[in-house]
Amino acid sequence: MRTKIAAGNWKMNGLSHSLDQLSELAKSQTSAECAVVICPPSPLLFSAVEMTHSSSIDIGAQDCHTAQSGAHTGDISAPMVKDTGAKYVIVGHSERRENYGETDKDVCAKAIAARDAGLIAILCIGESLSDRETGKTLDIIGAQLAASVPEGATADTLVIAYEPIWAIGTGKVPTLAQIVEVHDFIRAELNTCFGAEIGNGISLLYGGSVKASNAAEIFTAENVDGALVGGASLKAVDFLPIVDALSAS
Ligand code: PEP
């Protein structure tokens, strides 16, 4: 049985009053049959952990550095994330790959840093629109997996989020057949790489314009174990129906 996960990525959105949304979530999702993870901006991590302490919501960071400490002004390390009480960290989000030139090698090093600190990495991969239009999607996904997933990964250290770049924040969503094709491919690659017992245990999330109106259909796919949600995770009223759809799937 894989863990079903509804993860919210607040990106660079949210001030202290936004934590009210967390208490809304905490109040409403006590019967959720899935893990619920919120990744707020790093200044809110400590308060978010404190606020959700007595609920089943887990907190994650949106990035971590590859090093444990050192002269890296503005960065946060995986041990620092762990120290806040957070349980997850997103690595390799396409916005970081694009804005900061993060490579698969960097992403792999971040996933290793996360594992070494006792965090679960939510490792993002996904193709661009031109990759999709030129039929290169599976080649790109295969190459990203090969170069960014750490050796010895297990369900206790890794979650993979498939996020087609062209679907993030655009309102465009791949067809269910396209989602199924990529998720089945990722599962097969993990099984080949780590063996079926480990490969079948790693949760795969779909990300890219997930909302209340399309979540239930996406969660019908056998190898979709949840979602990484941006815009629709900012307000509890938008995120809760996605959590409910996943719980019911
Ligand atoms: C994301 O930020 O990972 C994401 C999927 O964003 P959105 O849901 O807004 O497309």
Side-chain angles (χ1 to χ4, degrees):
M1 265 288 268
R2 290 188 288 273
T3 310
K4 294 200 256 180
I5 304 171
N9 171 15
W10 283 7
K11 311 193 188 194
M12 198 173 72
N13 298 295
L15 300 172
S16 47
H17 66 78
S18 313
L19 293 169
D20 293 353
Q21 297 303 316
L22 271 186
S23 34
E24 286 295 307
L25 271 184
K27 263 189 263 158
S28 315
Q29 63 84 55
T30 44
S31 63
E33 289 184 26
C34 60
V36 177
V37 181
I38 294 293
C39 303
S42 48
L44 298 182
L45 282 173
F46 266 111
S47 312
V49 168
E50 202 175 280
M51 181 166 270
T52 53
H53 197 245
S54 56
S55 80
S56 55
I57 296 174
D58 290 315
I59 299 300
Q62 298 174 14
D63 182 46
C64 67
H65 197 275
T66 56
Q68 296 205 349
S69 61
H72 303 287
T73 302
D75 283 314
I76 57 171
S77 71
M80 289 172 183
V81 173
K82 178 73 178 173
D83 189 47
T84 67
K87 188 170 167 187
Y88 292 83
V89 58
I90 298 170
V91 296
H93 192 282
S94 63
E95 287 154 12
R96 297 221 42 105
R97 291 175 186 261
E98 208 171 297
N99 297 347
Y100 299 97
E102 288 185 8
T103 63
D104 287 327
K105 199 171 159 216
D106 299 326
V107 175
C108 185
K110 289 182 178 208
I112 290 170
R115 178 192 65 198
D116 291 350
L119 296 166
I120 301 171
I122 302 177
L123 193 158
C124 303
I125 53 176
E127 83 284 3
S128 67
L129 187 57
S130 71
D131 295 332
R132 167 64 64 181
E133 287 174 345
T134 51
K136 293 195 202 118
T137 299
L138 297 187
D139 289 343
I140 295 291
I141 296 299
Q144 288 177 339
L145 282 172
S148 61
V149 173
E151 275 176 33
T154 67
D156 293 333
T157 60
L158 183 77
V159 171
I160 292 181
Y162 166 58
E163 299 206 306
I165 298 168
W166 50 275
I168 296 177
T170 59
K172 290 185 196 147
V173 183
T175 63
L176 183 60
Q178 288 172 325
I179 294 174
V180 166
E181 180 189 37
V182 178
H183 279 249
D184 288 356
F185 174 77
I186 296 171
R187 178 74 61 214
E189 292 288 291
L190 292 176
N191 287 352
T192 304
C193 191
F194 299 116
E197 199 175 324
I198 290 174
N200 282 326
I202 294 175
S203 299
L204 306 184
L205 313 185
Y206 166 76
S209 297
V210 176
K211 41 189 186 286
S213 57
N214 59 22
E217 188 194 7
I218 292 169
F219 298 147
T220 60
E222 189 190 336
N223 280 310
V224 172
D225 305 306
L228 180 55
V229 183
S233 71
L234 294 173
K235 292 203 174 112
V237 71
D238 296 326
F239 194 53
L240 278 166
I242 298 172
V243 174
D244 289 344
L246 183 59
S247 291
S249 69

